[in-house]
Amino acid sequence: MDALLIVFASGLISLFAAFAKKPWLVVGSAMAGLLAAIIVIIGQLQTGKAFFDFLTYEGLAFDEFALLFSLAICVLSLLIIGIGYERFKENPVHTGEYVGLLLFSATGAMIMTAYTDMFMFFLGLEILSIPIYVMAGSNKTDVRSSEASLKYFLTGSFATGIFLFGLAWVYGATGTFKLQEIQMRITEMDTLSPILMIGVLLIMASFVFKVGAAPFHFWSPDVYDGAPPAVTGFMASVVKIAAFYAFLKMFAICFGQGELFLFWKDALIVMIIITLFVGNLSALRQVRFKRLLAYSSITHVGYTLILFVSQVDYFFTAGFLWFYMFAYGFSIVGIIAVAIAVNDPEDRIDGLKGLGKRNPFLAVVGIVALLSLAGIPPTSGFFAKYILFSAAWKSASWLVIIALINSGISIYYYLKVIVAIASPAEETTEKIKLSPLTVVVLTIALVGMLGFSFILPLLN
Amino acid sequence: MELLLFILPLFFALSVLIIPKQGVRAYGIIGSLAVLGVVIACMMQYNNDGTTHYFVNKPWLAGITLSFGYDGISLLMLLLTAVLVPLILVSNFKNELAENRLFTSMVFFMQLGLIGVFISMDGLWFYIFWEITLIPIFLISWWFGAPERKAALMKFFIYTFVGSLAMLAALIGIKVNAPTFYIEDLKAVTFTCKTACWLAMGFFLAFAVKIPIFPFHTWQPDTYTKSPMAGTMLLSGIMLKMALYGMIRWMIPLFPEAVACLQWPVIILATIGVVYGAIIAIKQKDMKRVFAFASMSHVGLIAAAIMVWDFDALSGSMVQIVNHGLVAVGLFLAVEIIERRTGTRNLADLGGFAKQAPKFAFWFAALAFASVSVPLTSGFIGEFLMLKGLVQFDMIAGIVAGTTLILGAVYTFRAYQLSMYGPVTRDQFADLHWSELVVLAIIILAVVILGVYPALITDFVNPSLKVVLETLSTPSGL
């Protein structure tokens, strides 16, 4: 709760700081707020005590996992604001809006990790989504950006509608919004009511839409491609973390028992397989960098969803999910930083050529991030994938083998980008200068990508 | 002290990046010699009783353990790596590449990965280091290779990566039945023959691509030809030995149940590779391609001999692993020497160098003899023991594989004759530079010494091989 308040407050502060028309002030206050939130969360994780204990509301519970996921959200938001600073600076009048919206969106994400009833979840989802609709269109002069915003808004609100519709069915079947009570009602049922089953399917569809799994993925390449890079990074990391954990919480706690699990499991497995192949095969022929990233992120959604059908204990699943999403988020930060710094107007993969000469540090970060996305040791992306696959092997070894085949396919397009970075430049060879802030952020991301796996023992 | 095996290559890989350009050559050689020193010190320390000497062995996380150690087999591979890396750097001495910081750094990263592969006693670390070696070798070839290298290298990377993924699947498959990835824990798991076969196939795919065994070899000739000399040497001299080592250390001990069903297919494929590689080598026009296919042919025989899983054959294959590492480096250097001076490797354009460069002719001839395994070279001992094992296992397989001796002579001497004899084709052909002479002399000396006194190797690895052979949990069919 403390961290939530702090992030919300710093969002407000940075919004008002914008009146000074000094980007560094806005970004500074936002980063200070997020840092404070991170410190508070770590403190709360260690002591188990919150300062605003009296403020607890029954719809929200910051248990250990909610805190861990909030930590991931805060850290990644901090890094993304850090790498986006250069872009914000170009447009000082609007910095406050971007940063403020981003923080509000992060607030929504934190609510989504801590919800205990459906009502609160819905609020969190909307708080998360609405700022992103705006942020995706923040390049007002760019047609693609406006297209991204509109597309995301239309499809997003459609998905929200589906969620509410599904929620109505579930409410009709169980008569409550609270997760625990829904779970109790479902276990009390002798036979599953069809009303409940329809509701669960609809809710699942809306979640799958939100995380961008096939066949509900059509919005994501356009939106990722059109949105400003920092927003793309935010969507690929923070939004996914929140959506995945909310998904896991709802489906593991409420709908994860016995027959109901078997009911939606098969549907999800089919979707996983489609997602993996659609994401990978579409990525193979992309020439635009962020579009490639969008398809790669669809594939990663496919990998992650394997956890949901792997029938592992909830605590392990949540832990693995946290690790996977955190590791993935670091790689996204690294990759997005490269996209921002190169700033190719057409965003071609070939535009990355000569990066090694233009800025060796950035090239190293980019290559490590791509290796991490591809899951090549010793990056944390590899450990994340390994843990996920080994967790799923017992119950769904054939699914793991399909996923491994897909890793094999995916290496082609990651390699394409890696060799583009390692190749000599075609035209421009002017050096890229990184601001000290970006260097610090990238160093953190690099350490995260290479050494994040070493914090695994702490999880136990 | 053993930790230096990791620290030294890492240190040199990073520190070489900030050394002034003129110093890179010397720095690289000093660094690789330092690693060699550490390896020799480890060998001195090791009491040769065949047991594994662990210098770190403790649990880490999620079933992964920090188990690093060595026995005779590992030490031999370490020594091969540590000897070949300075040789490769010295033979590269005359190239501009030797001044390149990135190149030298990548060589050290490569060495780090190789050392890791040979001393990991934990399945997942083995896999991690196995994959780590792929990145530097890919970058070396990508940055410094021949102009039309790109397609070949993409193929190489994807091939080997997909093969490794199969190994990862097999590792996960075996780990779910074992408490940790520690090698002894993994060995303790027993399977039904069918499961064991599937899992062993995962390992086999990874190894077969790297060795390469027919029909997984299609990446190899192109990659060898398009890589810079040092890259080719690393690939054929050391990197494919990882796969042979992996068969001895991991594949068979982990799945002894699978030997019965995998033995025949692997031996047949490997034997096909032996003959096929040799025949194709005979027809090649490009000298480097000749030796690329030759390498495939030689290594196929080693793979077949390992699969026989007989004590003498294994000990012969260890000798041959060392011999092939040395000779392959020598042969690729000989090709490079010709290419440096004439700018081509096309056999039709070469000839008559023996008159102009007698020293080179002598050492190259010695190498050619070592390559076709005449007695008094270590190749003879190795191939003799391996063929003996194969013949005992199955007469026909032994005879077919034995044709490698004849075919080997044909392609090696054809390449030698076309390049060194015949009408003089160039006005000038400078004789050996000291750096080239040193490398060739060291290789020939080592090959001859080991050929006369192979006990240097066999005495060292035999106790460990005995232990590996004895500890197989189910002796079915063995």
Side-chain angles (χ1 to χ4, degrees):
Chain A
M1 196 60 132
D2 303 2
L4 187 68
L5 291 175
I6 293 174
V7 173
F8 176 68
S10 65
L12 275 184
I13 292 172
S14 31
L15 209 53
F16 284 110
F19 286 121
K21 299 219 165 88
K22 290 200 177 77
W24 63 266
L25 191 66
V26 177
V27 171
S29 58
M31 292 183 96
L34 283 169
L35 258 180
I38 291 168
I39 293 166
V40 166
I41 291 174
I42 292 175
Q44 199 174 338
L45 271 172
Q46 272 173 352
T47 59
K49 275 192 213 122
F51 186 69
F52 289 110
D53 259 340
F54 56 91
L55 268 182
T56 45
Y57 161 66
E58 59 177 321
L60 284 179
F62 277 92
D63 55 7
E64 213 158 52
F65 277 119
L67 285 173
L68 278 174
F69 278 93
S70 302
L71 181 69
I73 288 167
C74 290
V75 170
L76 292 171
S77 306
L78 183 70
L79 295 180
I80 283 168
I81 291 180
I83 54 169
Y85 177 57
E86 292 295 303
R87 277 292 174 82
F88 298 146
K89 241 180 11 186
E90 290 166 10
N91 205 345
V93 187
H94 295 297
T95 314
E97 295 149 32
Y98 300 151
V99 175
L101 286 172
L102 201 141
L103 287 180
F104 291 143
S105 185
T107 318
M110 285 162 78
I111 293 175
M112 276 170 76
T113 63
Y115 75 98
T116 58
D117 70 23
M118 298 289 195
F119 177 66
M120 225 37 217
F121 165 75
F122 180 69
L123 274 187
L125 181 67
E126 289 301 284
I127 298 174
L128 169 90
S129 305
I130 292 171
I132 297 179
Y133 300 146
V134 181
M135 286 196 301
S138 61
N139 266 357
K140 275 174 284 191
T141 49
D142 184 3
V143 185
R144 282 171 187 282
S145 181
S146 310
E147 180 198 340
S149 173
L150 190 65
K151 231 174 204 166
Y152 196 37
F153 173 64
L154 287 178
T155 47
S157 41
F158 194 64
T160 316
I162 292 179
F163 171 76
L164 285 178
F165 190 40
L167 186 57
W169 287 87
V170 171
Y171 185 78
T174 58
T176 172
F177 276 142
K178 295 208 164 46
L179 290 190
Q180 299 292 346
E181 288 178 21
I182 294 178
Q183 184 199 3
M184 269 158 48
R185 297 281 153 78
I186 292 174
T187 39
E188 282 163 11
M189 286 179 194
D190 300 331
T191 49
L192 290 176
S193 76
I195 297 180
L196 178 72
M197 284 152 100
I198 293 172
V200 169
L201 270 194
L202 286 172
I203 291 181
M204 187 162 84
S206 73
F207 266 119
V208 169
F209 169 87
K210 210 73 206 168
V211 295
F216 302 95
H217 68 288
F218 291 101
W219 60 274
S220 83
D222 289 336
V223 174
Y224 276 45
D225 191 15
V231 180
T232 306
F234 188 76
M235 284 195 286
S237 54
V238 176
V239 176
K240 284 239 162 83
I241 290 179
F244 265 121
Y245 183 58
F247 191 3
L248 180 74
K249 204 168 175 179
M250 193 176 295
F251 276 71
I253 292 181
C254 284
F255 310 134
Q257 273 83 23
E259 256 181 273
L260 195 56
F261 172 73
L262 297 177
F263 167 66
W264 57 262
K265 189 184 91 168
D266 292 338
L268 198 58
I269 286 181
V270 173
M271 279 196 262
I272 291 170
I273 296 172
I274 299 175
T275 305
L276 286 172
F277 280 104
V278 165
N280 261 330
L281 297 179
S282 321
L284 288 178
R285 301 200 51 102
Q286 297 304 321
V287 288
R288 287 168 66 90
F289 183 45
K290 271 194 296 173
R291 232 181 152 73
L292 176 91
L293 214 59
Y295 283 110
S296 129
S297 108
I298 291 175
T299 318
H300 276 271
V301 168
Y303 298 139
T304 319
L305 284 178
I306 293 177
L307 264 184
F308 288 68
V309 295
S310 64
Q311 288 170 315
V312 197
D313 189 49
Y314 170 70
F315 286 96
F316 282 109
T317 317
F320 295 156
L321 180 71
W322 180 78
F323 183 75
Y324 190 96
M325 294 313 293
F326 216 148
Y328 177 68
F330 278 128
S331 327
I332 287 290
V333 168
I335 275 298
I336 289 294
V338 172
I340 290 181
V342 172
N343 198 4
D344 183 24
E346 282 168 48
D347 193 32
R348 294 160 305 143
I349 293 173
D350 286 347
L352 296 171
K353 281 190 176 165
L355 190 60
K357 276 262 154 38
R358 295 173 72 188
N359 191 322
F361 177 64
L362 199 60
V364 169
V365 172
I367 289 178
V368 173
L370 286 161
L371 292 177
S372 184
L373 285 178
I376 291 177
T379 56
S380 47
F382 163 72
F383 282 100
K385 237 183 217 171
Y386 153 69
I387 286 176
L388 196 150
F389 289 165
S390 59
W393 181 275
K394 266 234 160 101
S395 57
S397 49
W398 57 277
L399 200 58
V400 173
I401 287 174
I402 290 180
L404 280 170
I405 291 172
N406 271 285
S407 296
I409 301 175
S410 71
I411 190 66
Y412 171 75
Y413 55 83
Y414 290 124
L415 200 60
K416 212 164 71 173
V417 186
I418 292 176
V419 297
I421 293 179
S423 299
E426 278 170 346
E427 314 127 22
T428 49
T429 47
E430 49 185 312
K431 299 260 184 234
I432 296 175
K433 270 200 153 173
L434 295 178
S435 66
L437 180 65
T438 318
V439 173
V440 171
V441 169
L442 286 183
T443 315
I444 295 172
L446 195 63
V447 170
M449 285 184 280
L450 290 173
F452 184 57
S453 36
F454 290 92
I455 73 149
L456 261 185
L458 297 178
L459 268 184
N460 302 344
Chain B
M1 183 196 69
E2 286 91 347
L3 282 180
L4 281 177
L5 287 173
F6 290 127
I7 297 167
L8 273 185
L10 189 64
F11 168 76
F12 281 103
L14 294 176
S15 62
V16 78
L17 291 172
I18 48 169
I19 291 278
K21 240 184 175 172
Q22 310 85 297
V24 172
R25 277 197 175 92
Y27 195 74
I29 291 168
I30 291 170
S32 55
L33 288 177
V35 178
L36 178 61
V38 176
V39 171
I40 290 175
C42 288
M43 291 183 85
M44 300 292 206
Q45 224 179 32
Y46 179 66
N47 59 331
N48 197 7
D49 55 358
T51 51
T52 311
H53 169 77
Y54 290 99
F55 57 90
V56 194
N57 193 2
K58 55 182 179 203
W60 190 43
L61 58 93
I64 310 168
T65 60
L66 289 173
S67 320
F68 296 103
Y70 45 73
D71 60 358
I73 307 171
S74 302
L75 274 176
L76 188 69
M77 306 305 293
L78 283 181
L79 185 68
L80 183 69
T81 314
V83 168
L84 286 185
V85 169
L87 282 184
I88 290 169
L89 286 174
V90 173
S91 57
N92 210 24
F93 207 78
K94 258 188 91 184
N95 289 358
E96 247 174 66
L97 201 54
E99 263 188 3
N100 194 305
R101 298 188 196 113
L102 265 180
F103 166 77
T104 318
S105 170
M106 286 302 140
V107 171
F108 279 113
F109 269 120
M110 181 80 191
Q111 193 177 24
L112 175 73
L114 290 163
I115 289 177
V117 165
F118 296 137
I119 62 178
S120 296
M121 293 294 157
D122 176 280
L124 204 74
W125 281 106
F126 173 72
Y127 176 79
I128 290 172
F129 282 113
W130 172 276
E131 288 289 86
I132 287 180
T133 55
L134 187 55
I135 297 160
I137 190 70
F138 175 77
L139 287 176
I140 287 176
S141 303
W142 184 267
W143 281 332
F144 312 113
E148 62 292 351
R149 64 197 176 266
K150 303 202 166 162
L153 285 174
M154 291 288 263
K155 190 162 145 190
F156 161 63
F157 196 100
I158 292 167
Y159 244 98
T160 44
F161 185 74
V162 172
S164 311
L165 281 178
M167 177 161 82
L168 181 64
L171 270 171
I172 293 176
I174 180 169
K175 159 68 174 54
V176 290
N177 298 307
T180 66
F181 273 112
Y182 177 47
I183 184 166
E184 300 299 332
D185 284 343
L186 294 184
K187 276 184 193 168
V189 182
T190 50
F191 293 103
T192 60
C193 185
K194 200 177 152 205
T195 333
C197 256
W198 278 108
L199 293 175
M201 288 254 269
F203 275 81
F204 176 68
L205 254 176
F207 297 153
V209 168
K210 214 140 229 171
I211 288 178
I213 287 180
F214 177 88
F216 305 100
H217 66 282
T218 53
W219 62 270
Q220 186 235 24
D222 285 338
T223 310
Y224 276 26
T225 331
K226 305 284 161 43
S227 298
M229 175 200 63
T232 317
M233 287 175 168
L234 282 170
L235 274 167
S236 74
I238 325 175
M239 200 162 162
L240 61 82
K241 308 299 186 298
M242 289 186 341
L244 297 168
Y245 168 83
M247 285 173 80
I248 299 177
R249 167 78 68 221
W250 296 96
M251 186 174 122
I252 298 179
L254 254 48
F255 309 104
E257 305 91 343
V259 170
C261 62
L262 270 187
Q263 201 166 28
W264 265 108
V266 175
I267 290 180
I268 290 173
L269 286 181
T271 313
I272 292 176
V274 169
V275 180
Y276 172 86
I279 290 177
I280 293 194
I282 295 176
K283 294 295 291 175
Q284 291 306 310
K285 298 191 185 83
D286 182 336
M287 209 169 165
K288 210 171 176 183
R289 271 185 108 82
V290 174
F291 294 126
F293 280 108
S295 167
M296 175 183 154
S297 166
H298 279 135
V299 182
L301 181 59
I302 305 182
I306 290 174
M307 254 351 253
V308 171
W309 204 241
D310 162 77
F311 183 73
D312 283 345
L314 274 179
S315 139
S317 61
M318 290 312 289
V319 176
Q320 181 67 358
I321 283 174
V322 174
N323 174 64
H324 180 262
L326 292 165
V327 172
V329 167
L331 285 176
F332 285 118
L333 174 62
V335 174
E336 170 83 2
I337 289 172
I338 292 176
E339 196 187 356
R340 259 180 220 163
R341 287 161 175 70
T342 63
T344 175
R345 299 189 301 249
N346 191 346
L347 283 169
D349 294 346
L350 302 173
F353 302 142
K355 280 199 194 98
Q356 294 159 315
K359 272 194 264 173
F360 176 50
F362 168 74
W363 291 109
F364 189 13
L367 262 178
F369 282 118
S371 169
V372 300
S373 321
V374 295
L376 289 188
T377 64
S378 52
F380 173 71
I381 313 289
E383 296 212 333
F384 176 75
L385 285 173
M386 293 193 301
L387 287 173
K388 173 176 156 269
L390 265 175
V391 169
Q392 278 173 349
F393 175 73
D394 182 88
M395 186 62 101
I396 295 173
I399 290 173
V400 174
T403 54
T404 174
L405 292 169
I406 305 161
L407 295 171
V410 176
Y411 59 72
T412 314
F413 288 119
R414 173 177 167 272
Y416 184 79
Q417 179 207 4
L418 285 177
S419 58
M420 303 308 285
Y421 295 130
V424 176
T425 50
R426 295 288 187 288
D427 301 337
Q428 263 191 333
F429 191 89
D431 214 334
L432 293 178
H433 182 252
W434 66 263
S435 64
E436 297 158 348
L437 183 68
V438 167
V439 176
L440 291 177
I442 290 177
I443 288 174
I444 297 296
L445 267 180
V447 167
V448 171
I449 290 174
L450 293 175
V452 177
Y453 191 60
L456 277 179
I457 294 179
T458 48
D459 280 358
F460 193 72
V461 293
N462 279 356
S464 309
L465 284 177
K466 259 200 194 97
V467 172
V468 170
L469 275 171
E470 277 165 8
T471 49
L472 288 194
S473 46
T474 46
S476 60
L478 293 170

